[in-house]
Amino acid sequence: EIINLISESEFNSSSAVFKPLDENDHYRRILICLKKNQVLSNHKSPVDSSILGINGRGIIYDGQVPHEINPGILVKLNKNNSHKIEASEDCVLLLTQTPHPKKK
């Protein structure tokens, strides 16, 4: 199966779009689309996660530490660490959670 992540991108002016792509007992992948200036406020994940920049630019805060995320940049986040995302421009991100948070 081939998935074009750019073609799958969808934006909403009032909130981030979370688009599930695939999952199994071991992982879950979700496309996250944020319009410029949208923010995913501080939250925690019960499993380890990685976020890959696909398109656009943003900042991921791992706790208080900011990391720029651009196309091709991968940010790894440890489970239970507080993090947030701010979109500097329209931004498409690929979230991978391992293991699948509902099947761990």
Side-chain angles (χ1 to χ4, degrees):
E1 179 179 6
I2 297 174
I3 300 171
N4 183 323
L5 299 176
I6 302 301
S7 296
E8 290 292 320
S9 302
E10 296 177 16
F11 294 93
N12 181 315
S13 60
S14 60
S15 65
V17 174
F18 297 90
K19 191 169 187 179
L21 295 176
D22 67 336
E23 62 183 305
N24 62 32
D25 289 343
H26 306 289
Y27 67 86
R28 173 168 70 177
R29 283 190 215 144
I30 299 170
L31 199 63
I32 302 172
C33 304
L34 299 153
K35 293 288 287 175
K36 181 179 180 177
N37 297 323
Q38 285 180 335
V39 176
L40 291 181
S41 56
N42 276 325
H43 59 283
K44 296 180 181 181
S45 173
V47 297
D48 291 336
S49 302
S50 64
I51 299 177
L52 175 65
I54 302 298
N55 200 14
R57 303 198 183 292
I59 299 173
I60 295 178
Y61 291 87
D62 186 3
Q64 298 297 319
V65 180
H67 302 282
E68 285 191 37
I69 189 155
N70 308 316
I73 299 297
L74 179 71
V75 177
K76 295 181 182 181
L77 300 168
N78 293 322
K79 67 180 179 179
N80 297 320
N81 277 10
S82 179
H83 57 279
K84 76 175 184 176
I85 303 171
E86 297 175 352
S88 306
E89 58 189 52
D90 290 359
C91 189
V92 179
L93 308 169
L94 177 62
L95 168 67
T96 302
Q97 295 177 305
T98 52
H100 190 300
K102 294 182 180 171
K103 299 179 181 182
K104 65 178 189 159

